[in-house]
């Protein structure tokens, strides 16, 4: 070993002996100060006990031989007091300073820093050295304030908690040493209360202020802002600091109304929904923490209802006012305009819950609506337009107002054909095809009561407003209802004689057919369009052949107008 190393070792030994105060032979003699063994120090120490701090701790007190003379554990209560101001024996006052919460120390207190030469009658003999095993549980000071730590916070926060708000939150409550005393999670429900009205301990009243829905906080509350000297039952000792880990689920104010957020509004909005309108919409319904409680999308069916008439919760009645077709809107509804304190078990909506509806308006109408007609193109010099009983050919595209394609005549080989006014198409389409010229194009908006109604039809949802793009290809002038043939002018005065082609006094079916076809060919009359001429003429013959003997006599031949007049006379 080098000479320098030997000198250094000798110096270290001399220093060690100086600290111990005696050579390592025999009894070292009486202690001059308290001996502190910090045998457990927590990794995180937010604070150390200082002179004047209030502390809570547990201890076991023994003599050198291990005999116990006192224990806070045996009494079932922690010790609370102020450190460093002479209220404890001097050795304990010194030994507790600088401790962290949850730190464990072994203290050796010499007699002159304990109970001295007097001792404690019947408990501690004179000149006794005392051994304490101590764990620190709580430290606070009368100048302390709340310690609030934000653990997480949502990106969007339109509003924060204020006094008089009603909050719903989850929490875990522990003492400062981590001992749990209560949890809302174990109860399976949030804690619901007003803030700033004295319903909570002062520290929680203050600690919840400024929170966003969905925010998580750690709130450390000193005893004088919690349960103070009395504590609370058996779970919270006197003078205990409390630690709450809080998740704010939602909040509202009893004065709140519905909050609207317009997510997407169509550029074109010709009309906005008002009270009495019937609205079809899709929605997702969530709580403020994002929990989905209902969705029309999951049922693949819109929600259909009147607005402003009490068929839905008041908040939604208000929230759908003024929507446009195609609009996407967020409706935030406080509980007093939703399901109130009781909630809705069917939808797993807790009591006093704020609801958020993201809605997409598919369409709406009013029961008093007529067909909305927009003329896209109308040919010049249009003198002949469609009327009921006319036979028309037209092309069409049919869709919902959200653009969903339903039907199109272009999917078939030829245009659609129909006799107007014959109840062959929905009422709204029939009225939309009236007064059109050949070649004219229109857009028709047809409310459900003039379309397929509440029940809908194959491929058409119930109560759906329909959009038709129509183009009239051609029209044929029709005949009045109940007529199969109509004269363009006055019928011949000697009709029977002209119809009796062989002048034998009877008109068989072939003569009748030849005569009618000739009138049509010469433009003197017309048959009901869109029908088989042979069948129509055969029906006409059967109507005139009253006795069904295969020929028409002068007495049997009557004009339809004369028959109608006779019928009116009989009814009168």
């Amino acid at each position: 070993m080098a000479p320098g190393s030997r000198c250094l070792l000798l110096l270290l030994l001399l220093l060690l002996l100086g600290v111990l105060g005696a050579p390592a032979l025999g009894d070292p003699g009486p202690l001059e100060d308290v001996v502190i063994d910090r045998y457990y120090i927590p990794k995180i120490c937010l604070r150390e006990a200082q002179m004047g701090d209030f502390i809570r701790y547990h201890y076991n007190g023994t003599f050198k031989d291990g005999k116990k003379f006192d224990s806070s554990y045996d009494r079932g209560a922690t010790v609370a007091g102020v450190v460093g101001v002479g209220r404890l024996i001097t050795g304990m006052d010194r030994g507790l300073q600088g401790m962290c919460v949850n730190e464990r120390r072994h203290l050796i207190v010499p007699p002159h820093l304990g109970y001295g030469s007097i001792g404690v009658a019947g408990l501690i003999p004179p000149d006794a050295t005392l051994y304490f095993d101590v764990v620190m549980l709580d430290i606070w000071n009368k100048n302390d304030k709340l310690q609030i730590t934000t653990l997480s916070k949502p990106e969007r926060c339109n509003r924060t908690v204020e006094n008089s708000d009603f909050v719903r939150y989850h929490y875990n409550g522990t003492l400062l040493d981590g001992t749990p005393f209560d949890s809302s999670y174990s109860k399976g429900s949030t804690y619901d209360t007003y803030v700033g009205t004295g319903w909570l301990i002062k520290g929680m009243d203050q600690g919840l202020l400024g929170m966003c829905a969905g925010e998580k906080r750690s709130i450390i509350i000193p005893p004088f802002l919690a349960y103070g000297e009395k504590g609370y039952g058996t779970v919270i000792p006197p003078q205990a600091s409390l630690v709450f880990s809080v998740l704010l689920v939602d909040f509202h104010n009893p004065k709140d109304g519905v909050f609207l957020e317009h997510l997407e509004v169509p550029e074109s909005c010709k009309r906005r929904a008002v009270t009495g309108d019937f609205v079809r919409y899709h929605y997702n319904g969530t709580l403020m923490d994002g929990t989905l409680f209902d969705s029309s999308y999951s049922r693949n069916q819109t929600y259909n209802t009147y607005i402003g008439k009490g068929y839905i919760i008041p908040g939604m009645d208000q929230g759908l006012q003024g929507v446009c077709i195609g609009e996407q809107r967020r409706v935030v509804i406080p509980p007093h305009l939703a399901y109130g304190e009781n909630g809705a078990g069917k939808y797993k909506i807790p009591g006093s819950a704020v609801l958020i509806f993201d809605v997409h308006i598919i369409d709406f109408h009013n029961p008093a609506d007529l067909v909305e007609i927009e003329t896209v193109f109308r040919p010049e010099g249009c003198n002949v337009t469609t009327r009921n009983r006319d036979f028309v050919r037209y092309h069409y595209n049919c869709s919902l107002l959200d653009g969903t394609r339903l039907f199109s005549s272009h999917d078939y080989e030829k245009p659609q054909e129909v006799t107007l006014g014959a109840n062959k198409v929905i009422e709204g389409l029939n009225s939309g095809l009236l007064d059109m010229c050949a070649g004219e194009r229109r857009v028709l908006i047809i409310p459900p009561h003039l379309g397929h109604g509440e029940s809908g039809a194959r491929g058409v949802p119930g109560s759906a407003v329909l959009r038709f793009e129509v183009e009239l290809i051609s029209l044929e002038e029709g005949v009045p209802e109940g007529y199969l043939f109509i004269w363009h002018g006055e019928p011949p005065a000697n009709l029977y004689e002209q119809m009796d082609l062989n002048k034998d006094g009877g008109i068989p079916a072939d003569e009748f057919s030849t005569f009618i076809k000739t009138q049509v060919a010469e433009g003197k009359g017309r048959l009901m369009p869109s029908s088989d001429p042979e069948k129509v003429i055969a029906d006409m013959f059967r109507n005139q052949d009253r006795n069904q003997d295969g020929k028409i006599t002068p007495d049997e031949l009557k004009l339809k107008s004369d028959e109608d007049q006779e019928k009116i006379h009989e009814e009168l």
Side-chain angles (χ1 to χ4, degrees):
M1 181 179 293
S5 298
R6 291 193 185 96
C7 292
L8 179 61
L9 179 58
L10 180 61
L11 179 61
L12 290 173
L13 288 171
L14 291 172
L15 288 173
L16 180 61
L17 289 172
V19 171
L20 295 175
L25 297 172
D27 192 333
L31 298 174
E32 295 183 2
D33 202 353
V34 62
V35 176
I36 301 173
D37 176 14
R38 302 178 70 182
Y39 68 89
Y40 175 76
I41 302 173
K43 292 181 180 180
I44 299 175
C45 182
L46 300 177
R47 176 175 184 173
E48 295 180 349
Q50 304 294 325
M51 186 179 296
D53 281 344
F54 289 81
I55 59 173
R56 277 194 320 108
Y57 58 96
H58 262 310
Y59 73 90
N60 281 317
T62 63
F63 299 118
K64 186 176 181 179
D65 61 2
K67 182 180 179 182
K68 187 189 300 183
F69 64 83
D70 193 16
S71 172
S72 62
Y73 296 98
D74 294 344
R75 293 193 297 274
T78 55
V79 178
V82 182
V83 67
V85 294
R87 296 182 184 179
L88 302 171
I89 58 173
T90 305
M92 187 66 84
D93 246 352
R94 295 180 184 179
L96 294 175
Q97 290 189 45
M99 284 191 79
C100 305
V101 172
N102 285 326
E103 181 178 343
R104 294 178 179 271
R105 288 184 176 183
H106 188 70
L107 308 178
I108 304 176
V109 179
H112 66 281
L113 298 179
Y115 294 97
S117 59
I118 299 175
V120 177
L123 183 63
I124 298 175
D127 297 318
T129 299
L130 307 179
Y131 295 78
F132 290 95
D133 203 48
V134 182
V135 57
M136 184 64 68
L137 302 177
D138 201 341
I139 305 169
W140 59 277
N141 192 287
K142 62 182 179 180
N143 295 320
D144 284 350
K145 297 180 180 180
L146 288 181
Q147 297 180 51
I148 298 175
T149 304
T150 299
L151 305 176
S152 66
K153 193 172 185 177
E155 293 182 3
R156 296 182 56 184
C157 183
N158 297 325
R159 175 181 164 192
T160 60
V161 174
E162 299 176 359
N163 280 324
S164 80
D165 282 342
F166 189 89
V167 295
R168 296 177 54 243
Y169 62 93
H170 271 302
Y171 68 89
N172 285 318
T174 66
L175 304 180
L176 204 59
D177 67 342
T179 302
F181 62 81
D182 196 12
S183 172
S184 63
Y185 296 97
S186 65
K187 302 180 181 70
S189 63
T190 55
Y191 191 80
D192 307 341
T193 188
Y194 288 94
V195 174
T197 58
W199 290 35
L200 292 165
I201 57 175
K202 291 181 180 180
M204 189 61 86
D205 255 346
Q206 297 174 21
L208 293 171
L209 293 176
M211 287 192 77
C212 304
E215 182 176 344
K216 292 182 179 179
R217 279 184 178 180
S218 172
I219 305 172
I220 301 177
I221 304 175
F224 54 86
L225 295 177
Y227 293 98
E229 297 179 0
K230 295 182 179 179
Y232 187 82
T234 59
V235 293
I236 299 177
Q239 300 290 25
S241 301
L242 305 182
V243 181
F244 286 93
S245 178
V246 176
L247 168 62
L248 185 63
V249 175
D250 73 17
F251 68 96
H252 74 279
N253 195 284
K255 297 179 181 179
D256 284 349
V258 172
F259 175 78
L260 302 179
E261 185 177 352
H262 303 278
L263 304 178
E264 184 177 330
V265 181
E267 293 183 5
S268 174
C269 183
K270 296 180 180 178
R271 171 179 164 189
R272 295 180 179 272
V274 297
T275 293
D277 283 343
F278 190 87
V279 183
R280 294 195 317 123
Y281 60 95
H282 271 302
Y283 70 88
N284 283 321
T286 62
L287 305 179
M288 285 191 79
D289 65 357
T291 301
L292 181 72
F293 62 80
D294 194 20
S295 174
S296 63
Y297 296 98
S298 65
R299 296 186 291 273
N300 197 29
Q301 183 176 354
T302 56
Y303 191 82
N304 310 330
T305 187
Y306 289 96
I307 64 170
K309 303 183 74 172
Y311 289 99
I312 48 181
I313 56 176
M316 191 60 86
D317 253 348
Q318 297 176 26
L320 293 175
Q321 296 283 334
V323 293
C324 300
I325 291 172
E327 180 176 347
Q328 296 184 45
R329 176 181 286 191
R330 176 167 292 163
V331 184
V332 182
I333 304 176
H336 51 274
L337 295 176
Y339 293 98
E341 296 180 3
N342 296 325
K346 176 182 178 182
Y347 299 108
K348 296 183 179 179
I349 297 175
S352 300
V354 177
L355 306 183
I356 300 175
F357 288 91
D358 285 319
V359 300
H360 180 202
I361 307 302
I362 303 302
D363 65 32
F364 64 84
H365 73 280
N366 194 283
D369 284 350
L370 302 175
V371 175
E372 182 183 330
I373 300 175
E374 177 187 354
T375 300
V376 178
F377 172 76
R378 189 177 178 96
E380 296 182 2
C382 175
N383 298 320
V384 179
T385 59
T386 53
R387 296 178 297 175
N388 272 328
R389 308 303 302 171
D390 285 350
F391 177 73
V392 297
R393 293 180 177 85
Y394 63 96
H395 270 303
Y396 71 89
N397 292 313
C398 177
S399 64
L400 301 178
L401 292 192
D402 65 354
T404 301
R405 183 179 183 274
L406 297 179
F407 313 107
S408 175
S409 62
H410 297 283
D411 294 337
Y412 303 94
E413 295 181 356
K414 58 182 181 178
Q416 182 79 9
E417 299 178 346
V418 73
T419 298
L420 297 177
N423 296 321
K424 299 298 183 180
V425 293
I426 56 175
E427 185 178 348
L429 180 56
N430 192 94
S431 63
L433 289 169
L434 295 176
D435 196 34
M436 286 189 76
C437 305
E440 184 173 344
R441 297 194 299 272
R442 288 179 174 178
V443 173
L444 312 177
I445 306 298
I446 301 175
H449 52 274
L450 298 176
H452 292 284
E454 295 181 7
S455 301
R458 185 176 181 182
V460 180
S463 300
V465 179
L466 302 179
R467 183 181 189 273
F468 277 87
E469 298 173 352
V470 296
E471 179 182 5
L472 188 65
I473 305 302
S474 65
L475 67 94
E476 295 179 33
E477 193 175 1
V479 299
E481 187 174 1
Y483 285 72
L484 298 176
F485 174 87
I486 189 170
W487 295 97
H488 289 162
E490 290 294 325
N494 53 350
L495 179 60
Y496 189 85
E497 287 77 3
Q498 290 193 30
M499 195 175 291
D500 184 9
L501 300 180
N502 62 6
K503 310 302 180 185
D504 65 353
I507 303 172
D510 58 341
E511 284 187 345
F512 182 84
S513 176
T514 300
F515 176 80
I516 294 299
K517 290 178 181 178
T518 300
Q519 306 309 303
V520 172
E522 294 176 355
K524 296 179 180 179
R526 65 179 183 275
L527 293 168
M528 182 175 68
S530 76
S531 57
D532 181 358
E534 297 295 340
K535 183 178 183 305
V536 172
I537 294 172
D539 289 342
M540 293 172 63
F541 181 82
R542 279 193 298 272
N543 290 340
Q544 297 296 325
D545 184 12
R546 317 284 174 171
N547 61 8
Q548 304 298 306
D549 64 354
K551 61 181 180 178
I552 301 172
T553 64
D555 292 337
E556 291 176 324
L557 184 64
K558 293 180 182 179
L559 295 175
K560 181 73 169 62
S561 57
D562 294 335
E563 289 182 341
D564 292 343
Q565 204 60 36
E566 288 177 3
K567 184 176 181 181
I568 293 173
H569 179 74
E570 290 171 359
E571 290 176 350
L572 291 174

